[in-house]
Amino acid sequence: MSEEVICFESEVRVRFNETDPLGIVWHGNYISYFEDGREAFGRHHGISYLDQKKYGFATPIVKSECEHKLPLKYGEVAKIRTTFVDSSAAKMIFKYEILNAENNVVCTGKTVQVFVDKLGQGELWLTIPKFFEDWKRKVGLLK
Amino acid sequence: MSEEVICFESEVRVRFNETDPLGIVWHGNYISYFEDGREAFGRHHGISYLDQKKYGFATPIVKSECEHKLPLKYGEVAKIRTTFVDSSAAKMIFKYEILNAENNVVCTGKTVQVFVDKLGQGELWLTIPKFFEDWKRKVGLLK
Amino acid sequence: MSEEVICFESEVRVRFNETDPLGIVWHGNYISYFEDGREAFGRHHGISYLDQKKYGFATPIVKSECEHKLPLKYGEVAKIRTTFVDSSAAKMIFKYEILNAENNVVCTGKTVQVFVDKLGQGELWLTIPKFFEDWKRKVGLLK
Amino acid sequence: MSEEVICFESEVRVRFNETDPLGIVWHGNYISYFEDGREAFGRHHGISYLDQKKYGFATPIVKSECEHKLPLKYGEVAKIRTTFVDSSAAKMIFKYEILNAENNVVCTGKTVQVFVDKLGQGELWLTIPKFFEDWKRKVGLLK
């Protein structure tokens, strides 16, 4: 585990159709906000879905968790703080914090992704693919 | 235009996350109900997305229209009446009526699809593909 | 009909979960992009959902139309050009153009909204509410 | 904790717009399938969203977890097995198993809900509301 913490902050504006009859964002839509955060992180740090695809990999989510602390309403603009969780496993792990305009934590979460080879037979990789090792080296997580 | 009218009725239960802060189904979700109706029609009459795919075709929507008469609320189960609109053009046209439990028309709509060859270069077909002509014959729209 | 054309341009980034097995934005999601455009227009020109709510009105969509010209793929950032269509009826009418990065028209559309009194019995207004007349005057559509 | 296990099985048909460019159900949509399962359980056992509402309560989700084992594709009809997890806390806890047509587990999950008083000030209840205690008695979880 590296000392280095790599994170990225992006913004999301709540859509009207993401809110429910209680007037708040429907809980399942936070999974979409996590993906927004992860992809904003990925575009910034060069490890987005499209980057992975260039190397012949897809990284399906195998686990996601979400804890809700406060509601978000229509009209709010939230901040998504996405943090890469380093691990020696052949996995991509991210943690998320969603904050409202008053900087209060609305929701926290975590996702785990695995590496699937799209050029080959679609098999699951049990070791870290070279492109991901190279990426870790580039961002300072590996010497 | 044939005298024959081919239609199919299916049901849809309103999901909580399809309703908005006004407590009613968000207008854009009716496009999803139309697709439910079209695919229920397609499974029954042998012309669904997966049937088309077997013949190497996709049929992207090029036009959709929707008129809203009444709201649907969470907990309601609606009926989707999907009608095939016969035409000599290389198009698939459907009309939709969505009815509530009291049999009142909630919403009407129409979609137009074209034929795109997925086995070839993905080009648009300007004439009716053979599988669709065969289908029309099978259901009695062509002699 | 006024000579004045009031419009607003906003941007939308295609989400991964808005694209379908054909790799393109599912057609129904454009209704959500129209709403994004309409609300960006509304925030800029002071006639958004939350502005209307302050005056005690909701403006449900009674009609929407959408024509698709080109696909959008994951990773694309599109421009939404929303134009207010002036009319003497007690309606809010908007037209939309969605353009890709090469400035090609991906999709066009139109929505019609009516005025419903949320403070009273929820009835439909057949004449233009005062707040909307005031707004038209403010933006130069009424003298 | 009671010996009694209360569960319910319902079905869900995968929608085209729930699948992604990899051709499989986008992971976030399983949260919607969990809600389908929970509400089907609720309608059967008399503890649905609308039942709770009658007693003046809403039960927002404060935590959700989802583990993905296998993909679901367009055209598949899955089974949702929803199990009530009894607890002495002022919470509603459900576990979910989603199974494909071959009865293989596609996904498992869990949600935790709390009780919020909609008739009063919207406060969180730290003790079990009477309607929920009554429900537990009715279904045999309390003597």
Side-chain angles (χ1 to χ4, degrees):
Chain A
M1 183 76 75
S2 160
E3 295 291 310
E4 197 76 34
V5 171
I6 304 180
C7 78
F8 191 73
E9 283 189 6
S10 54
E11 269 190 0
V12 68
R13 179 181 287 280
V14 171
R15 279 181 172 160
F16 184 72
N17 65 356
E18 291 169 347
T19 57
D20 67 19
L22 304 173
I24 60 177
V25 171
W26 179 70
H27 69 284
N29 288 324
Y30 288 94
I31 304 293
S32 183
Y33 295 171
F34 291 168
E35 191 156 276
D36 283 357
R38 187 171 63 247
E39 281 292 281
F41 176 107
R43 284 190 300 274
H44 183 79
H45 288 296
I47 195 75
S48 72
Y49 170 78
L50 293 175
D51 292 311
Q52 298 160 22
K53 201 178 170 187
K54 259 188 295 180
Y55 291 102
F57 283 88
T59 56
I61 303 267
V62 292
K63 189 172 183 176
S64 54
E65 294 170 6
C66 191
E67 286 201 48
H68 305 274
K69 318 287 188 188
L70 287 172
L72 281 176
K73 290 188 179 160
Y74 180 60
E76 293 196 66
V77 177
K79 191 158 61 186
I80 312 170
R81 190 179 288 154
T82 305
T83 306
F84 180 77
V85 179
D86 198 15
S87 143
S88 57
K91 288 177 178 167
M92 288 184 77
I93 306 173
F94 289 97
K95 287 175 89 169
Y96 311 89
E97 270 190 318
I98 297 185
L99 303 114
N100 64 17
E102 291 76 39
N103 244 26
N104 295 318
V105 176
V106 163
C107 156
T108 61
K110 185 181 165 184
T111 54
V112 180
Q113 291 163 274
V114 291
F115 295 98
V116 170
D117 190 343
K118 300 304 283 182
L119 299 178
Q121 308 295 312
E123 73 265 39
L124 177 69
W125 274 46
L126 300 176
T127 55
I128 295 186
K130 186 167 183 311
F131 86 92
F132 190 54
E133 200 177 278
D134 289 348
W135 177 79
K136 283 197 179 191
R137 197 163 284 119
K138 198 189 74 183
V139 296
L141 293 172
L142 277 182
K143 298 289 152 64
Chain B
M1 183 77 72
S2 159
E3 295 291 309
E4 196 77 33
V5 170
I6 305 180
C7 78
F8 191 74
E9 283 189 6
S10 54
E11 269 191 0
V12 68
R13 180 180 286 279
V14 171
R15 280 181 170 159
F16 184 71
N17 65 357
E18 292 168 347
T19 57
D20 67 17
L22 304 173
I24 60 176
V25 171
W26 179 70
H27 69 284
N29 288 325
Y30 288 94
I31 304 293
S32 183
Y33 296 171
F34 290 168
E35 191 156 276
D36 283 356
R38 187 170 63 246
E39 282 292 280
F41 176 107
R43 284 191 300 276
H44 183 80
H45 288 296
I47 195 74
S48 72
Y49 170 77
L50 293 175
D51 291 311
Q52 297 160 22
K53 201 178 169 186
K54 260 188 295 179
Y55 292 101
F57 282 88
T59 55
I61 302 268
V62 292
K63 189 171 183 176
S64 54
E65 293 170 6
C66 191
E67 287 201 48
H68 305 274
K69 318 288 188 187
L70 287 172
L72 281 176
K73 291 189 178 159
Y74 180 61
E76 293 196 66
V77 177
K79 192 158 61 187
I80 312 169
R81 190 178 288 154
T82 305
T83 307
F84 180 77
V85 180
D86 198 14
S87 142
S88 57
K91 288 178 176 166
M92 288 185 77
I93 307 173
F94 288 98
K95 288 175 88 169
Y96 311 90
E97 270 190 318
I98 297 184
L99 303 114
N100 63 17
E102 290 75 40
N103 245 27
N104 294 318
V105 177
V106 163
C107 155
T108 60
K110 187 181 164 183
T111 55
V112 179
Q113 291 164 275
V114 290
F115 295 98
V116 170
D117 190 343
K118 300 304 283 183
L119 300 177
Q121 309 294 312
E123 75 265 40
L124 176 69
W125 274 45
L126 301 176
T127 54
I128 295 187
K130 186 166 181 313
F131 87 91
F132 190 53
E133 201 177 278
D134 289 348
W135 178 79
K136 283 196 178 190
R137 197 162 284 119
K138 197 188 76 183
V139 295
L141 293 172
L142 277 182
K143 299 288 152 66
Chain C
M1 181 77 74
S2 159
E3 296 291 309
E4 197 76 32
V5 171
I6 305 180
C7 79
F8 190 72
E9 283 189 6
S10 54
E11 268 191 359
V12 68
R13 179 181 288 279
V14 171
R15 279 181 172 160
F16 184 71
N17 64 358
E18 292 168 348
T19 57
D20 67 17
L22 305 174
I24 60 176
V25 171
W26 179 69
H27 69 284
N29 288 324
Y30 288 94
I31 304 294
S32 183
Y33 296 171
F34 291 168
E35 191 156 276
D36 283 356
R38 187 171 63 248
E39 281 293 280
F41 175 106
R43 284 190 301 274
H44 184 80
H45 288 297
I47 196 73
S48 72
Y49 170 79
L50 293 175
D51 292 310
Q52 298 159 22
K53 201 178 168 186
K54 259 187 296 180
Y55 292 101
F57 282 89
T59 55
I61 303 266
V62 291
K63 189 173 182 176
S64 54
E65 294 170 5
C66 190
E67 287 201 48
H68 304 275
K69 317 288 189 188
L70 287 172
L72 280 176
K73 292 188 178 160
Y74 179 61
E76 294 196 65
V77 177
K79 192 158 61 188
I80 311 170
R81 190 178 289 154
T82 304
T83 306
F84 180 77
V85 179
D86 198 14
S87 143
S88 58
K91 287 177 178 168
M92 289 185 76
I93 307 173
F94 288 98
K95 287 174 89 169
Y96 310 90
E97 270 190 317
I98 297 185
L99 303 113
N100 63 17
E102 291 76 40
N103 245 25
N104 295 318
V105 176
V106 163
C107 155
T108 61
K110 186 180 165 184
T111 56
V112 180
Q113 291 163 275
V114 290
F115 295 98
V116 170
D117 191 341
K118 300 303 284 182
L119 299 177
Q121 308 294 312
E123 73 267 37
L124 176 69
W125 274 46
L126 301 176
T127 56
I128 295 187
K130 184 164 184 314
F131 86 92
F132 189 54
E133 199 177 279
D134 289 348
W135 177 78
K136 282 196 181 192
R137 197 163 283 117
K138 198 189 75 182
V139 296
L141 293 172
L142 278 181
K143 298 288 152 66
Chain D
M1 182 77 72
S2 160
E3 296 291 309
E4 196 76 33
V5 171
I6 305 180
C7 79
F8 191 73
E9 283 189 7
S10 55
E11 269 191 0
V12 67
R13 179 181 287 279
V14 171
R15 279 181 171 160
F16 184 72
N17 65 358
E18 292 169 347
T19 57
D20 67 17
L22 304 174
I24 59 176
V25 170
W26 179 69
H27 69 284
N29 288 324
Y30 288 94
I31 305 293
S32 183
Y33 295 171
F34 290 168
E35 191 157 275
D36 282 356
R38 187 170 63 247
E39 282 292 281
F41 176 105
R43 285 190 300 274
H44 184 80
H45 288 297
I47 196 73
S48 72
Y49 170 79
L50 293 175
D51 292 310
Q52 298 159 21
K53 202 179 168 185
K54 262 187 294 181
Y55 291 102
F57 283 89
T59 55
I61 302 267
V62 292
K63 188 172 182 176
S64 54
E65 294 169 6
C66 192
E67 287 201 49
H68 305 274
K69 317 288 189 188
L70 287 172
L72 280 177
K73 292 188 178 161
Y74 179 61
E76 293 195 65
V77 177
K79 191 159 62 188
I80 311 170
R81 189 178 289 154
T82 304
T83 307
F84 180 77
V85 179
D86 198 14
S87 143
S88 57
K91 288 178 177 167
M92 288 185 78
I93 307 173
F94 288 98
K95 287 174 88 170
Y96 310 90
E97 270 190 318
I98 297 185
L99 302 113
N100 63 17
E102 291 76 37
N103 244 26
N104 294 317
V105 176
V106 164
C107 156
T108 62
K110 186 181 165 184
T111 56
V112 180
Q113 290 163 274
V114 292
F115 295 97
V116 170
D117 190 342
K118 300 304 285 181
L119 299 177
Q121 309 293 312
E123 74 265 39
L124 176 69
W125 274 45
L126 301 176
T127 54
I128 295 187
K130 185 165 183 313
F131 86 92
F132 190 54
E133 200 177 279
D134 289 347
W135 177 80
K136 282 196 181 192
R137 197 163 284 118
K138 198 190 73 180
V139 296
L141 293 172
L142 279 181
K143 299 288 152 67

